[in-house]
Amino acid sequence: MNSHLNLTEHLENIDWSFPNLSNSGIHSLHWYPATYIAAIPGTLIPAFTQKGDTVLDPFNGSGTTGVEAVRLGRNFIGIDTNPIALLMSEAKLYFPDPKSLRKQIDVIISESENLFGTKLAEPHPHEEELRAWYHPDTLFILNRLLASILETKNLQLKKCLLAIFSGILKNTSSQGRHWGWVCDNVKPKPSEIVPKDALLTFRNATNEYLKLTELSHKAVQVHVDKETRKQTRSRYKLLAGDCVANMESIPNDQIDFIMTSPPYYGVADYVKSQRLSYLWFDKDELAAERLGFRDFEKLRSAESGARSNRSRKNSHELYMSFMANFFKQSFRILKKGSSMALVVGESQARASTTDELIFSAINQGFTLALRKERNIKISRRRLMAKVKCEDILLFIKD
């Protein structure tokens, strides 16, 4: 591996906006706010780690870092407080057996198509609320699909299918505006409620998922020759809950590289953005997974730096205190000489944070090796609030 000096000089010359690239393939499985482009971890992970090293993303989100780390032959640990984020990440990283999944998909679609079958799904517990989002015919089919998915015996296949189902909920709703409207609970007008072909949408989504997981695993085998799906699955771990609390359980000097994007202060609402999924998954069978609306407010209020918490009097102080604890744990668990890369951004309407974050990291012992601004074009923003700038920060534990 090159020295940090030569490496950072090389990284200085990269256009970190990657204007001609977008997140495609398995990365596009499910929408999520404030995701960064896969080319960022795809560039930094091979620069600062070797095959078999462990990469940590304490703010896992939709699993972009995890997909790239596993693809490149590294081990991965992802942490997140949002169960929907972990669900979609699991679907991206599990690489299910295609034949088993195809067989289960065919059963689910067959049961949902058979409108005169003996197995009728019970009305959804939030049917009245869901009628404000979906046409009755669409709601009926989605409810049958979900009921059939929940009967899947294999837990991992069930998670993959739930992630696919979650991914089609916005497009099958009658809210035609962008995700921010769903996040803020703005329902379509009664005149806008129109039927959507939920069965076809689900069928297409499952076919796409089968194709993408196959391609994704072939991409893994480019870097780890002849690795089986089972072997690939052994190289990742997803942890639910607060990242600082989870990091406290990791021994000193264990992690080779941290690649993450902390929540931008006052910019996005990660739990609220998945409002429809929490509504649909609010069933007793899924209560243990905390995927239902019964946990929605608790999960939402615990989000550090969330946009919906911006009106709290001390929200900025709480955010910076949380990040100081994050930097403390990051420094402790990283191996000496290892690095941490952050993608950070600031809202145009909120208090500035980037310089404070840099100071906080340095205060915990890190050395700032690189700071490069990214060009955020209006047409390419993945956020639900305007971001005035976004930076790549690279820190070293000397």
Side-chain angles (χ1 to χ4, degrees), residues 1 36 38-51 53-56 64-76 257-259 341:
M1 188 180 296
Y36 51 54
I40 295 175
T43 299
L44 290 169
I45 288 171
F48 289 98
T49 65
Q50 299 176 343
K51 288 181 181 179
D53 283 354
T54 299
V55 177
L56 170 69
T64 305
T65 296
V67 170
E68 292 302 297
V70 169
R71 178 180 69 84
L72 293 164
R74 278 66 173 173
N75 300 315
F76 174 70
F257 186 55
I258 293 175
M259 174 75 245

Side-chain angles (χ1 to χ4, degrees), residues 87 90-91 154-164 289:
L87 182 71
E90 190 82 49
N154 183 299
L155 178 59
Q156 291 301 135
L157 288 186
K158 184 191 294 184
K159 287 183 178 180
C160 294
L161 291 163
L162 287 171
I164 297 168
E289 307 295 329

